[in-house]
Amino acid sequence: MRQCFLIAVTSFALLAGPGAPSLAAQAPHIEILGERLRTALAEAALSAPGVLGARVIDIRTGTSFGVNDTLVFPQGSAIKVAILVELFRREEAGDLRLADRLPVRKADQVAGSGLLQRFSDGTSELSLNDLAVMMIVLSDNTATNMLIDRLGMERVNAAMSALGLPSIRLQRKMIQPKESAAGRENVATARDAASLMVHIAKCELPMSRERCAALRRILEIPKGGPIVASVAPGTPVAWKPGGITGVSTYWGLVGLDDRPYAIAAMVNYSTDGDRTAAVLRQVADAAWAYFSALDHATPHGTRVR
């Protein structure tokens, strides 16, 4: 009987000791911050000049927030992240080397963003790594199409399916208006796009951690846009935006020290580019407000470094 009494007293002391109640009491505070983010996403969806899909994932805890995040959207150039992942996976498998070089030919050149469309026919060669950098940083469409030819669309899609991301689908090369008009778009849900960024962050990919880091460094090469504009100066952001007429997107990874997060947002049926840009910035701002509040915060909500 005395032993049972001591166990009961000890258990009560653990539950009711000086720190326990106040620490447990902080969960409602976190929920208030989370509800504020959910509300911001819902408000952004209502104000979008079209349809907004968004997903934000806490990489440390796996907690996620979303709106319309299982709807499939066209992706524009954001789909190039999937091509980059497949390129590095194939080097890991020994199918190619990033140092392999390809000639830039007139037959490869397409309009839109990038510089390779201005190159002379067959007079220059670039490595696969160089093409990848141009694809991500300059969103070079010619570089992208050259990589698609080298990798194969079905191989890119198979790699995404193997990661459990079946909505990410590469279905046409860049700047193919007839294909687009026929409904063959490069597509994804916000849920799968954000999940791919989590895979990159955690290196849950079929490649070494060194290759994961190299892949991420390409995505972190500076470029302007809504995610970068929403975060504190110096915060690393690995991301890729995309846009085609009526559509704007981004897939990103924000490297807060203590609270990194993945984010994907996309709008289609847009009739107002400026308002769309504002809505995508609204999503990025709301995510930053939530995660920066939690970054290096104690269970009581004080900030330590």
Side-chain angles (χ1 to χ4, degrees):
M1 177 68 71
R2 177 177 174 79
Q3 185 179 15
C4 291
F5 174 76
L6 289 175
I7 291 172
V9 170
T10 302
S11 299
F12 178 80
L14 289 173
L15 290 172
S22 57
L23 292 179
Q26 303 311 304
H29 296 232
I30 303 301
E31 181 56 31
I32 289 170
L33 293 175
E35 189 56 36
R36 189 178 300 164
L37 176 52
R38 292 185 191 94
T39 299
L41 294 178
E43 289 175 347
L46 287 174
S47 64
V51 179
L52 167 71
R55 178 84 160 184
V56 184
I57 303 174
D58 186 330
I59 292 171
R60 198 182 84 178
T61 68
T63 303
S64 62
F65 307 84
V67 60
N68 300 327
D69 58 359
T70 61
L71 298 181
V72 174
F73 288 78
Q75 292 302 315
S77 290
I79 199 73
K80 295 171 184 177
V81 177
I83 299 170
L84 183 69
V85 168
E86 173 63 0
L87 174 65
F88 276 72
R89 186 195 72 80
R90 294 279 281 283
E91 187 189 41
E92 181 78 21
D95 292 346
L96 51 78
R97 297 179 307 137
L98 292 178
D100 291 345
R101 302 173 70 84
L102 294 175
V104 181
R105 304 167 303 175
K106 185 175 180 59
D108 299 317
Q109 293 170 329
V110 292
S113 55
L115 295 175
L116 293 190
Q117 61 181 300
R118 309 295 182 188
F119 279 34
S120 300
D121 185 14
T123 60
S124 301
E125 289 187 347
L126 293 173
S127 70
L128 297 180
N129 188 79
D130 293 339
L131 293 172
V133 170
M134 298 188 81
M135 173 179 71
I136 297 299
V137 181
L138 301 179
S139 209
D140 194 296
N141 290 320
T142 297
T144 305
N145 286 353
M146 291 171 67
L147 289 173
I148 291 172
D149 285 340
R150 180 66 180 82
L151 298 172
M153 286 190 200
E154 290 308 314
R155 297 287 295 275
V156 174
N157 293 335
M160 294 300 103
S161 293
L163 291 172
L165 309 172
S167 77
I168 300 178
R169 283 291 173 267
L170 180 66
Q171 301 185 115
R172 65 169 175 82
K173 292 164 72 172
M174 303 299 114
I175 314 298
Q176 302 287 316
K178 290 183 179 179
E179 294 287 297
S180 184
R184 284 183 285 277
E185 285 293 351
N186 301 317
V187 297
T189 65
R191 177 174 293 186
D192 281 359
S195 294
L196 179 58
M197 302 312 291
V198 173
H199 281 296
I200 293 170
K202 293 184 173 183
C203 198
E204 295 173 339
L205 297 169
M207 64 185 70
S208 68
R209 299 199 72 84
E210 291 75 18
R211 281 200 175 85
C212 281
L215 184 160
R216 182 167 175 169
R217 283 195 295 271
I218 291 176
L219 289 167
E220 286 180 344
I221 296 172
K223 45 193 174 292
I227 304 181
V228 176
S230 72
V231 307
T235 305
V237 180
W239 77 299
K240 183 73 185 80
I244 49 180
T245 303
V247 173
S248 292
T249 65
Y250 57 68
W251 305 4
L253 184 59
V254 178
L256 274 173
D257 287 341
D258 187 49
R259 215 69 182 218
Y261 61 95
I263 181 170
M266 45 206 66
V267 174
N268 65 350
Y269 291 100
S270 173
T271 56
D272 187 327
D274 290 340
R275 282 181 58 208
T276 295
V279 165
L280 292 177
R281 173 66 187 270
Q282 186 179 343
V283 171
D285 286 348
W288 173 259
Y290 174 80
F291 288 100
S292 61
L294 297 179
D295 191 50
H296 290 292
T298 73
H300 291 287
T302 57
R303 306 194 65 75
V304 295
R305 286 285 179 177

